[in-house]
Amino acid sequence: MADSSDEKTNTTASPGIVTAGSKHDLQSAQVDALDHHDVGAEDEVPRPVGWMYKSFKLGPFGFSCYASPPTQLVIVAFVCFLCPGMFNAVNGLGGGGQLNATVADNANVAVYSTFSIVGFFAGSLVNRLGIRLTLSFGGLGYFLYVASYLSYNHNANAGFVTFAGAFLGLCAGLLWSAQGAIMLSYPPEQSKGKYISWFWMIFNLGGVIGSLVPLGQNINSTAGAVNDGTYIGFMILTLIGAVLAWFLVDARHVRRADGSRVILMKHYQFNDVNGARFNIRTRALNNVLYWSSQIVGAFVLGYALDIESVRRSIRARAALAILFGLTMVIWGGGYAFQKNYDRAATEAKDYVTMDWTTSGYVGPMFLYMFYGFFDAAWQTVVYWYMGSMSNNSRKLANFVGFYKGIQSAGAAISYRIDALKAPFMNEFASNWALLAGSLLIAAPVIMMKIKDTVPIEEDLKFSDETLEDVKGMGMDTELMHYALSNQFTSSSPAKASNHWGHEPPLYKYYTVIGAASDPKRRTSVRGVGWGVPRTGSLPSPWPRGYTKDDQTTPDGPGYLESKPPPSSSSAKDVGEQTQEKLAVFITVPLVSLARAAELWKQRRGHVHFAAMTGADNSGLRSGVYQALLGISIFSIVYYVYWQLTIGASRRRMIKEHGCKPVSKCPAWDPILGLDFFLTQRKALNEHRILAHTRSRFTAMDVNTFQIKLLAQTLTVTIEPENLKAIQSLQFKQFGLGSRRIKAFTPFLGTGIFTTDGAAWSNSRNMLRPNFTRSQVGDLAMFETHVNHLILAIPRDGSTVDLQELFFRLTIDSATEFLFGESTNCLAPGISTVSARQFAESFMRGQETIGRNARWGPIAKLFVDNQFKKDCDFVHDFVDSFVEKGLAYRDSGAAEKGDGRYVFCYELVKQTQNKVQIRSELLNILLAGRDTTASLLSDLWFEIARRPDVWAKLRAEVDELGGEKPTFAQIKDMKYLRFVLNECLRLHPVVPSNSREAFEDTVLPVGGGPDGKSPIFIPKGRVVAWSVYTMHRRKDYYGEDAEEFKPERWETLRPGWEYLPFNGGPRICIGQQFALTEASYTTIRLMQEFKAVESRDNRPWTEWLTLTCTGLHGAKVSLTPA
């Protein structure tokens, strides 16, 4: 043993070699430093060598080193300045700067919905991927989000904006979790308020600068939307922010002033106030003031929370009182302002938004500024509360991720409610109530649980760090280990050596579960000297299963596996842990999720010590636990919130309209509806799906019922009053639905049959002029192709399938009408190979999209490589005619005219968009080919079996005297019209249809035991109807409703119970074209052939694709006249 002077010399010469005496001298000061996490000024502690650890001065100003917490925090703040700050500036304009706020609402629903889920496990991802990568990746999401608005300015692609919002939700979850970990774990405890304040001031400066951009560019504009330059400026700034994140240093290189390392491991105001009440330049000015006020709020609250003369627990209570006061005063003023306007007023066409020159602007301006001040105060205090609970970056990354997740869930719900056009006052009241209520709930826990300091051993729990990893430079490792070991009570190092036979081993305080957290199981480390285990057997506080031999070396079994703590001490551990869990959960809801997972693992004894075993998978399991807990909590919170908002609104609507429940179709699988899917699929394959659907109505003895199909709820009806409401009276409340549009669009493009809303209206307005009486009545074109049909029919009395010939006829006539050139499928000598291939590809393509529309997501299970080839060929074929049409227009021939009508040539006069022209042509081709061919096939199937009908019809045709009919003569042929009507009644070309509700609504009948009460239809519900079944209702068509009887039309005057061509605004614009072509073809065939005989005795069987016709065709023999 060295003497005293040697010991002191050794201590001075080499701080890493410390003798017993030196440890005893340093003990009190170093342990005190550990308890407070802050030794002293930066230059009092040695730092590592390297450029990043060199501080510097600029004139009278001194600056921290690059790897110091202040510098790193400033960099992170500027990343958020450039990314979320610009996002705030865009959203602060109201509706993302767009005239249509619904686009921004839907995008923000996507942002915060995704954010709310990602936030639950973002902390684990940040801990695994690192700060720089997650911050930089997060910044890219903001760039894409702003770019989507620029794109929307040009192509109105709302889908891209929504996608960008969802992607931003992922990125923002990672960015904010990483930011929170740095902001709350880097600073020492006594400076956290200042650090939070610095961050929020710099961050909100982004909102100020970002708001100055549109203010400067739109200062002379009173329009409702910003220009392209605004978005481009934001894109550049957000991209710079993503790059700036890479200038951060790894957290392991960061050094605090004491030399220690970091422990590793707004909506209502924007849309409903600013967006609704002010024009673009005033909104930009309001944004500047709003974010400037946030800077003031962050500064005032941040520095107030770090007043060292007041204990932290007292500051926490005072901050709570201040927040409650601000909530009542500022939002009380907001209530007075909100009473002056509502949503209906702001959406009126004659509504005039407020400008800064408008009288009375000053009051709302200051209110908006106070909103900004309040938001910064709230965020600063909440972050300070989280920072008061830990200094561990791993924990804080989880805390912030979960906090932002729940916050984002609320924001998503809020934006969705705004998109649903809820009253402004309702949104205001919910915000105010939630803010005030959350403070009242959190108050008891904040006052009891926020402590004046957090011991370092608490911060090291569940981390991969040791005291050696985080100690300040110059501190002695052994001293810290011994000082914090709770198993030593003796005061002499000599006794320790005598007991163990060598110097006592180094224990990591966390190698025994619960030991460090129980004050009764450790002695005070100040002024105690050396601590060694008590003589004799191991002390009782040690976990059962350990022996002295287990601890003789650092490699002992006791280090490799933890054992459950004894019940005598675990009860107190669990009690303290539960109290902490409750405190965190109520104070900041999301923080509890991470802590709950860790506490659960601790009680179960599943902690693995990576420092000893070299194998640590607790981080992965922790992430899984956190994700599961987070999703569960989010689901519960969302369910409660949904019931209090949307659910309550729906219950009111049901009560007001007297809605009654709809009869439910019996099923053994009421959740997924697999039984219905299987029976439907079987019936479809057996070509009896229409009869099967009708049998359900008959069996249940109802006209409206509800079913489950592949987890989707459908309402099925055959009530004319419901169809009248859907297709006419409540037309704007229903649309085609996403399933149908997704299925049809790859093949047909965006045309009249694949769009809703404004896009559909535009298509219809463009197409309707092309179906005037003069165009439909041009029968000369029909005559050419009917002659080809007549020549294709055998005249020797042999059997012919007219259905096949009719489909060739209609595609020939339709392509000539649309493209100016016919496929000539009925004229093999004229038809080209490409034209015949087009007809085949078009047939296969429509069968595929019909199947995809019918089965929805299940259709992806059907691998159809041919479909892509068919789409490409059909598109290329039609594109060639589009090019000809554009060339025809450019040549000037369109102005001169050649006497021939071509549909494509008329379209190119209205638009030069090649894709739109192609889409409209394909949509019309689908209707023009299938409708007429199916009608003709079914018509000749029936009249070939009814000599009486043939005789009456032939007598009417003979009145023409063999002359080719004119359009006017066709219109006057009543019995022919009766025959066509009866054929469309029994064999509707589109035998079933559906619409999806765009909003919560009510249909007039179908509910209650008698089916006469109104029924509630929630938003997103698909309402289907069976025209096939409705056309066979005996209460409308008599007991002989299933018979083919044209004579019934002599007196029958149906309303909405007869729908062969739909009704309302979406009634088929080409119905007269189809009826005229079918009539003309029938007349000409009857003029050429005097008799018809059916050659197929099988009953009519359905063949259902997008349309419906007979499976067996129309096999007949014809006798020439």
Side-chain angles (χ1 to χ4, degrees), residues 235-347:
M235 289 168 61
I236 294 172
L237 293 174
T238 52
L239 189 60
I240 293 173
V243 174
L244 183 61
W246 289 100
F247 286 84
L248 290 165
V249 301
D250 286 338
R252 65 177 179 271
H253 297 313
V254 176
R255 294 293 187 276
R256 296 193 182 95
D258 60 2
S260 62
R261 301 180 183 180
V262 177
I263 300 175
L264 299 176
M265 251 311 293
K266 303 133 180 123
H267 156 72
Y268 164 76
Q269 299 99 316
F270 294 155
N271 278 9
D272 301 352
V273 178
N274 205 27
R277 289 286 282 156
F278 304 99
N279 60 28
I280 185 62
R281 68 174 188 174
T282 310
R283 279 149 51 189
L285 174 62
N286 289 345
N287 262 4
V288 173
L289 300 174
Y290 181 91
W291 300 115
S292 299
S293 299
Q294 288 234 3
I295 294 174
V296 176
F299 175 81
V300 172
L301 268 295
Y303 275 80
L305 289 169
D306 277 349
I307 299 175
E308 296 185 10
S309 59
V310 181
R311 292 166 48 200
R312 186 164 70 179
S313 57
I314 301 299
R315 281 177 268 153
R317 300 172 188 178
L320 182 68
I322 292 171
L323 276 187
F324 188 80
L326 290 174
T327 302
M328 302 312 294
V329 172
I330 294 176
W331 285 79
Y335 173 73
F337 177 66
Q338 185 60 72
K339 291 191 298 182
N340 296 326
Y341 67 99
D342 57 22
R343 187 182 293 275
T346 60
E347 292 182 351

Side-chain angles (χ1 to χ4, degrees), residues 954-1014:
R954 182 164 182 80
E956 189 174 56
V957 171
D958 287 344
E959 293 178 3
L960 296 174
E963 296 292 328
K964 296 180 179 62
T966 65
F967 182 76
Q969 289 173 325
I970 292 175
K971 297 288 287 184
D972 290 337
M973 299 179 72
K974 292 184 179 180
Y975 193 72
L976 175 59
R977 187 168 70 250
F978 294 164
V979 171
L980 290 172
N981 287 348
E982 185 69 355
C983 185
L984 287 170
R985 183 188 70 83
L986 272 183
H987 308 297
V989 176
V990 182
S992 59
N993 216 324
S994 65
R995 293 290 185 269
E996 182 178 314
F998 283 162
E999 58 187 76
D1000 292 345
T1001 188
V1002 173
L1003 292 180
V1005 293
D1010 60 357
K1012 302 298 183 182
S1013 299

Side-chain angles (χ1 to χ4, degrees), residues 479-501:
L479 177 59
M480 287 192 291
H481 284 156
Y482 277 99
L484 289 174
S485 174
N486 49 37
Q487 303 302 328
F488 303 131
T489 57
S490 299
S491 57
S492 168
K495 291 182 180 180
S497 294
N498 291 338
H499 181 81
W500 291 97

Side-chain angles (χ1 to χ4, degrees), residues 90 141-151 231-232 234-235 238:
V90 171
Y142 292 93
F143 171 82
L144 183 65
Y145 181 82
V146 177
S148 70
Y149 280 117
L150 177 62
S151 170
Y231 292 125
I232 293 173
F234 284 141
M235 289 168 61
T238 52

Side-chain angles (χ1 to χ4, degrees), residues 771-787:
F771 287 95
T772 61
R773 177 166 179 160
S774 60
Q775 308 304 335
V776 173
D778 183 7
L779 302 177
M781 180 190 69
F782 288 158
E783 177 61 26
T784 301
H785 299 293
V786 170
N787 278 331

Side-chain angles (χ1 to χ4, degrees), residues 96 302 347 355 432 448 494 555 701 714 835 841 1026 1062:
E347 292 182 351
D355 187 70
W432 193 8
M448 291 186 295
D555 299 323
D701 193 24
L714 291 86
S841 296
S1026 172
N1062 277 333

Side-chain angles (χ1 to χ4, degrees), residues 793-844:
I793 296 174
R795 307 181 76 86
D796 58 359
S798 59
T799 301
V800 62
D801 186 358
L802 290 180
Q803 183 185 84
E804 181 182 347
L805 298 181
F806 288 148
F807 272 92
R808 294 186 192 178
L809 167 71
T810 54
I811 197 168
D812 284 353
S813 61
T815 49
E816 181 167 358
F817 174 71
L818 295 172
F819 307 149
E821 296 182 26
S822 174
T823 53
N824 288 313
C825 293
L826 278 174
I830 305 175
S831 177
T832 63
V833 174
S834 61
R836 291 193 298 272
Q837 184 178 346
F838 170 75
E840 295 170 0
S841 296
F842 191 79
M843 170 70 81
R844 284 195 302 266

Side-chain angles (χ1 to χ4, degrees), residues 373-395:
F373 181 92
F374 176 82
D375 184 59
W378 184 281
Q379 297 276 14
T380 301
V381 171
V382 169
Y383 272 98
W384 185 81
Y385 282 153
M386 284 191 286
S388 298
M389 295 177 183
S390 180
N391 301 295
N392 183 323
S393 68
R394 169 173 285 184
K395 289 183 183 179

